[in-house]
Amino acid sequence: MNTIFRKFILGALIAALSLAALPLTTAFAAGPTPPAPGATKDPATVNARLELVFAHQQTRITRIGEAVTKFETMTKSTQTLIDKAKANSKDVSAVQTAFDAYKAAFEKGKPLYEQAKTILTAHDGFDASGKVTDAEKAKATIKSLAGILKQYETTVGETFKTLGQALKAFRAANPRSTPTPAPSNG
């Protein structure tokens, strides 16, 4: 019985090693085979993808809307902080320049937001819950929203990044002075 068990284990080990030595094909790594050019795509898959992209665009436009709503409050408080730092003899020229550029770009971006909001409200090709009703109209809606959002990103996004970099440089040059805690005698 012992020799039968050994032969079985040895056979299984040889089979496992020979399978491990075979080269793996890239068919598994490549994922599903894309449809051939001119082949029809699965409408359910296309619709699901359109709905996903549309939902993502809705989220982006909602976030922009929140920024538009809070813009005045945010700019006032940011300007107050810049003025405080300037009053404390800190060099805020780079931050002020970046902030002014951001405010100007944001104002230029507001019409783009309004345009995107109008397209989103019309939601051609989609029903009120974001489900595709007409795939071709839905594709056109997504394409037009993508163009507007790209313009918005170009207009506002770069100045926002520049402002963030200026703030980071300012913080590095002017670290907060935190009081050191008193040592405990316990």
Side-chain angles (χ1 to χ4, degrees):
M1 179 88 160
N2 197 7
T3 57
I4 295 174
F5 183 69
R6 283 186 183 170
K7 286 181 183 179
F8 178 73
I9 294 293
L10 184 62
L13 184 61
I14 290 172
L17 289 174
S18 46
L19 283 177
L22 292 175
L24 294 177
T25 61
T26 59
F28 295 111
T33 306
T40 58
K41 297 177 184 174
D42 179 28
T45 305
V46 171
N47 288 350
R49 177 142 173 85
L50 290 171
E51 291 165 4
L52 183 67
V53 172
F54 187 66
H56 178 69
Q57 288 175 335
Q58 282 179 315
T59 302
R60 286 184 65 193
I61 293 168
T62 301
R63 286 183 182 162
I64 294 169
E66 290 170 0
V68 167
T69 303
K70 297 175 183 177
F71 182 72
E72 186 134 350
T73 305
M74 187 274 302
T75 54
K76 284 181 183 178
S77 62
T78 303
Q79 189 61 55
T80 302
L81 291 172
I82 291 172
D83 292 342
K84 275 185 187 177
K86 190 175 186 179
N88 289 334
S89 303
K90 310 269 179 162
D91 180 20
V92 293
S93 58
V95 174
Q96 185 68 58
T97 302
F99 183 60
D100 291 341
Y102 172 70
K103 288 191 303 187
F106 196 87
E107 291 298 327
K108 286 182 188 175
K110 279 185 182 178
L112 293 170
Y113 162 70
E114 293 298 329
Q115 190 177 3
K117 195 168 76 169
T118 302
I119 293 171
L120 188 64
T121 303
H123 57 75
D124 287 339
F126 294 95
D127 64 8
S129 63
K131 299 292 181 189
V132 174
T133 57
D134 183 347
E136 292 307 313
K137 286 182 180 179
K139 286 178 187 176
T141 298
I142 286 173
K143 198 176 253 188
S144 61
L145 281 174
I148 292 168
L149 289 171
K150 187 172 184 174
Q151 283 180 319
Y152 185 86
E153 181 65 28
T154 302
T155 304
V156 180
E158 292 302 317
T159 57
F160 185 71
K161 287 178 187 175
T162 304
L163 176 60
Q165 291 167 349
L167 286 170
K168 186 176 180 180
F170 177 79
R171 287 182 188 134
N174 302 291
R176 288 186 176 179
S177 58
T178 57
T180 55
S184 62
N185 294 331

